[in-house]
Amino acid sequence: MLEAKLEQAALLKRIVDSIRDIVQDCNFECSESGLSLQAMDNSHIALVSLLLGKDGFTDYRCDRSISLGVNVGALTKILKCGGNDDVLTLRAEDKPSVLSVMFEDSIQDRISEYNLKLMDVDQEHMGIPDTEYSASVTMPTAEFQRIARDLHTLSDSVEIDVNKEGITFSCDGDIGAGSIVLKPSSNIDRPEQSINVEIVEPVTLSFNLKYLNHFCKASGLSNQVTLRLSGEAPLLVEYKLPNGFIRFFLAPKIGD
Amino acid sequence: PTEQALLQRFFEHI
């Protein structure tokens, strides 16, 4: 059986919030080592990969691997019933039909428990190859979120260009064009504000801004986000989690 | 469709 306790429900709430625009139904895979998820969006242009290692939980026990088929919208509704600061416990039997979600508010001595009906989710599990990326850029999540939001007011797509000078986001839409240039910088007092650019060779690719804005829903999970680009691979947008990560992959726009 | 193919090709290529 699975029994997994998080000190703060906010972590799972934020994780589920950050994937619910992309994924409708998915399997949460629970194993001895932790909880993971891999799912594609309906249009098969983006893929989400989540890992929450067992050390990220206050208590974690999973005797044998369990697959929890979940409707993400339904899970969102149940998670909204708990407070951000509540202790959250997930429980499931070995062949579960429901996932039990318990919230404990220690200040008010309030315990609430909900059962989420599980479903069979037919999903192919794909391996993600180790990839040598041409460029990696780490920047503040708030900055990336602002860029994706601002450029989306002008256009549906963004061109990302990385070279040794820095990273440029630019777009050209019906009402006009825009661009933002970020140069590498290090901030010793506030390292989370630093911008780090690692480059093997310059790369320029275009992406759909709708998806980048969906990915930015994960901004509350980490101060920094890493973008990895290569001509031969989808864009990787990575947010580090306590003992894990949430990674979004997005195919570049082809043509136009 | 071409973007879908690219994503699927990338993940199946292992």
Side-chain angles (χ1 to χ4, degrees), chain A residues 15 24 42 85 145 149 156 186 198:
Chain A
I15 288 172
Q24 289 178 338
N42 279 343
D85 295 329
Q145 186 172 31
R149 190 192 57 215
D156 289 334
S186 59
E198 288 171 33

Side-chain angles (χ1 to χ4, degrees), chain A residues 190-209:
Chain A
R190 298 177 68 195
E192 73 279 5
Q193 292 295 318
S194 298
I195 296 170
N196 182 50
V197 176
E198 288 171 33
I199 188 152
V200 179
E201 58 179 347
V203 57
T204 304
L205 290 165
S206 292
F207 300 98
N208 187 319
L209 276 165

Side-chain angles (χ1 to χ4, degrees), chain A residues 228-252:
Chain A
R228 295 187 208 280
L229 299 98
S230 181
E232 302 298 313
L235 167 71
L236 167 55
V237 180
E238 179 177 34
Y239 299 83
K240 291 218 160 55
L241 301 178
N243 291 284
F245 56 75
I246 182 158
R247 291 176 181 155
F248 300 97
F249 294 86
L250 179 64

Side-chain angles (χ1 to χ4, degrees), chain A residues 43-44 127 129 131 234 252 254, chain B residues 2-4 6-8 10-11 14:
Chain A
S43 59
H44 284 221
T131 303
I254 296 169
Chain B
T2 41
E3 288 144 24
Q4 295 168 0
L6 192 147
L7 193 76
Q8 284 178 321
F10 175 72
F11 290 112
I14 40 167

Side-chain angles (χ1 to χ4, degrees), chain A residues 5-10 56-59 84-88 104:
Chain A
K5 185 187 274 194
L6 283 174
E7 202 53 44
Q8 286 196 311
F57 294 86
T58 319
D59 290 315
N84 280 347
D85 295 329
D86 290 357
V87 173
L88 172 93
E104 292 174 81

